[in-house]
Amino acid sequence: MRSSERLALGLTLCASQWVAAPARAEEALFRWRAPIEVRQAAAFVQLPLPVSAYGHSQQHDLQDLRIVDARGERVPFALLVPGPSAQRDAALDPAVVELLFAASPEPVGATPRGGLHFDLGGALPLVQLDLQLAAGTLVAPVQLEGRRGVDEPWRELTRQVFHHIERDATVSRSPPVQLQATVRYVRVVPDPRTAALDAAATRLAVHARLASVVFAMQGEPPFTLLAGSSDAPPSALPVSTLLPALAGERARFGQATLGAWDEVPAVVRQADAEQRRAQLRPWLLWSVLLVGVGSLGLMVWRLTRGRAR
């Protein structure tokens, strides 16, 4: 093989390898991390997950969470997802948290005329929803819609008439809506025959039944919660595997809280590099094709020329 042919072949192979997506190390999968502060040590420690954990997770049902110790070794953990409570009032359920949201000033996607858009900060498992209207006498028949992500279509959650009526120094308000839905974005679409809602004076109150993480005090503290991977395999153990006697062990759980999230610099750099590679990939594919065709043409030309002699 002549030097020009070897050069063309080498260029083709190098371009092909550059175009191919590189294999990623397992430690580089998780974009976000947050420190776990153990407030009360025990054999098993319970960490209630805040809304931010749902917001930083990139997989449904928190499948991309992982706990590691100070050496980066995995720590066994399980997700405790509370089931439906016998309490009819969500406010009396200890597993339920109440959250209040203002309308988003820049809604994700088109919002119908007079509608309001709310970002809950993560795909939360809702059990109750209420629309808090401005003071005065207001009646608002609306359709409530929700979705987990911006790439999903809106789906109807329920239709409801909310009201806030002031009469003789008393206030009558509509009851909250009971529902079971996991959504991040909520859209409130008023009946077209009614006036638009006041975005500045309207609040969305939700009750969400958030999960907890229970992990074994195994390894070298401090511990860290990782999240933010679209392709990491699930890491949580079944509850029955980590805690065969959950009912008896629950009273002895230690307690922990989650600190502030920050991005893993190596993962950010890798994500930026992959984004640049994705933008250049079409041009490189054409380059590989042209180099390959040129190499083939050169070899055919040399072969034909050799035979002619």
Side-chain angles (χ1 to χ4, degrees):
M1 183 181 292
R2 297 176 181 272
S3 57
S4 58
E5 295 171 359
R6 288 196 297 268
L7 177 60
L9 180 59
L11 290 174
T12 302
L13 291 176
C14 290
S16 300
Q17 292 175 357
W18 202 92
V19 169
R24 296 188 296 176
E26 186 177 7
E27 291 76 17
L29 287 174
F30 300 91
R31 189 182 183 101
W32 297 96
R33 63 189 176 191
I36 299 174
E37 182 179 350
V38 178
R39 300 292 183 90
Q40 178 185 344
F44 296 97
V45 177
Q46 183 174 14
L47 170 66
L49 293 177
V51 173
S52 63
Y54 288 81
H56 288 89
S57 174
Q58 291 187 9
Q59 296 186 31
H60 292 336
D61 303 321
L62 307 172
Q63 292 298 303
D64 60 331
L65 296 187
R66 181 173 296 180
I67 296 179
V68 296
D69 68 359
R71 299 169 298 179
E73 298 292 334
R74 293 194 188 193
V75 176
F77 76 97
L79 277 170
L80 289 184
V81 181
S85 173
Q87 292 281 359
R88 297 182 62 88
D89 187 352
L92 301 178
D93 187 344
V96 171
V97 298
E98 182 178 9
L99 305 163
L100 191 65
F101 298 94
S104 300
E106 297 180 359
V108 179
T111 301
R113 186 198 64 82
L116 299 180
H117 180 277
F118 298 89
D119 182 356
L120 308 186
L124 306 182
L126 305 183
V127 296
Q128 185 173 289
L129 184 149
D130 189 19
L131 200 62
Q132 298 183 358
L133 304 174
T137 297
L138 291 174
V139 177
V142 299
Q143 174 175 302
L144 298 172
E145 301 172 344
R147 61 182 180 182
R148 287 175 179 253
V150 295
D151 56 341
E152 297 181 2
W154 292 101
R155 59 185 179 89
E156 182 178 335
L157 300 177
T158 187
R159 294 174 182 267
Q160 184 72 13
V161 179
F162 293 95
H163 66 261
H164 182 284
I165 300 175
E166 297 181 1
R167 182 188 297 114
D168 299 330
T170 62
V171 176
S172 172
R173 299 185 68 253
S174 52
V177 178
Q178 308 296 323
L179 77 167
Q180 300 289 331
T182 299
V183 296
R184 171 167 182 166
Y185 303 105
V186 175
R187 189 164 70 172
V188 182
V189 182
D191 189 300
R193 296 166 294 184
T194 61
L197 296 171
D198 184 355
T202 305
R203 296 291 182 269
L204 182 72
V206 302
H207 285 80
R209 188 175 283 117
L210 303 185
S212 296
V213 162
V214 175
F215 64 94
M217 281 286 288
Q218 175 179 318
E220 181 181 333
F223 302 102
T224 302
L225 181 65
L226 305 179
S229 172
S230 59
D231 53 8
S235 300
L237 295 170
V239 176
S240 58
T241 300
L242 183 70
L243 298 162
L246 174 61
E249 193 68 38
R250 191 185 292 271
R252 295 191 288 268
F253 282 165
Q255 297 297 321
T257 57
L258 195 64
W261 292 91
D262 69 324
E263 290 184 295
V264 181
V267 180
V268 176
R269 290 193 297 270
Q270 182 170 315
D272 292 341
E274 290 182 358
Q275 184 177 8
R276 291 193 297 269
R277 183 178 291 107
Q279 294 172 347
L280 292 175
R281 186 169 288 120
W283 298 98
L284 290 170
L285 287 173
W286 277 107
S287 300
V288 170
L289 179 61
L290 293 175
V291 171
V293 171
S295 301
L296 181 61
L298 180 61
M299 288 186 287
V300 171
W301 178 78
R302 288 187 179 278
L303 181 60
T304 304
R305 184 182 180 187
R307 288 180 178 178
R309 290 179 181 177

